[in-house]
Amino acid sequence: MDEELRSLLDRVRRESGGSAAYEQLAATVDHDELVAVLTENERPLWAREIAAFRLGAEGDRRAFEALVLLLNHRDPERCASAAYALARLGDPRTARAAAALATNELRTAYALHPVRLLTALRAPESVPALIRTLRPLLSTHNPYWRVAQACIEGLGELGDRQAVEVLTEALAHPRVARSAAWALRRIQAGRGRG
């Protein structure tokens, strides 16, 4: 069993009370049964999360909408599981959805996992979205420095020269200056695209 799936199942077992429904969702190999969980009324969130994760990790695009909703959840563990499954889903809509979530300034507190997903996807939307997310986070008293750090690390991983200007600005911010310097060195060394 995949380590991420095992972690998810351990986490939601407590939420489900170890019910028979939980055991069935954990064991089934029937994709149609999992899809039904996503569409039936009054299914608990933990059941929808198991179904969406399992479908997404196995490349079934019927999980896309549910996974995007989970990526936008307030619970960081749910966001992390959704990002993992979305990265494996192979749906061309994923990068656009992650970019929309990452750049929504009203949801910056929950942008960490969409930012990391954009880096993992290496899609055409990734670099512009990371730059757009990072720029407003470079104010002096911004509380979301971890999101800024993830943007900087992602830009360094992607190695695109479009990021040089915003990364140079980030050098002036002590919490992220070291990461910005690393990212700039990586881009200048030509590791990545652009």
Side-chain angles (χ1 to χ4, degrees):
M1 182 187 293
D2 178 281
E3 187 57 41
E4 291 293 326
L5 177 57
R6 181 179 289 111
S7 176
L8 166 68
L9 292 175
D10 287 347
R11 174 171 51 82
V12 299
R13 177 181 283 120
R14 293 185 298 274
E15 223 177 304
S16 72
S19 66
Y22 164 85
E23 296 298 337
Q24 176 61 24
L25 285 174
T28 189
V29 293
D30 183 348
H31 280 210
D32 290 336
E33 183 179 347
L34 293 170
V35 170
V37 171
L38 299 179
T39 58
E40 290 170 0
N41 290 332
E42 299 183 24
R43 284 291 194 144
L45 183 58
W46 62 262
R48 293 179 192 277
E49 184 180 6
I50 292 173
F53 181 93
R54 293 201 53 212
L55 289 165
E58 293 175 25
D60 190 321
R61 292 183 181 177
R62 294 176 290 179
F64 175 76
E65 288 83 4
L67 288 170
V68 170
L69 288 172
L70 289 165
L71 183 64
N72 195 33
H73 200 275
R74 290 174 184 243
D75 179 349
E77 290 180 317
R78 286 204 157 97
C79 296
S81 291
Y84 178 88
L86 281 164
R88 279 141 194 82
L89 182 60
D91 192 302
R93 300 170 291 175
T94 301
R96 207 167 37 252
L101 293 175
T103 58
N104 181 345
E105 291 187 32
L106 299 175
R107 303 285 297 169
T108 302
Y110 311 106
L112 183 63
H113 293 287
V115 162
R116 288 180 176 162
L117 178 57
L118 283 166
T119 302
L121 293 173
R122 297 182 163 281
E125 296 89 344
S126 296
V127 170
L130 293 177
I131 291 171
R132 187 170 160 207
T133 302
L134 177 58
R135 223 174 262 293
L137 300 178
L138 295 179
S139 64
T140 307
H141 301 293
N142 196 298
Y144 305 117
W145 67 272
R146 283 188 174 86
V147 175
Q149 175 110 5
C151 289
I152 290 167
E153 290 169 357
L155 291 168
E157 285 294 323
L158 296 171
D160 193 306
R161 294 195 174 279
Q162 293 178 71
V164 169
E165 182 181 330
V166 73
L167 290 172
T168 302
E169 291 172 32
L171 290 172
H173 299 271
R175 279 190 160 162
V176 296
R178 186 181 205 152
S179 295
W182 168 83
L184 284 166
R185 282 193 306 274
R186 189 172 171 90
I187 291 169
Q188 289 159 357
R191 297 184 194 142
R193 63 173 199 226

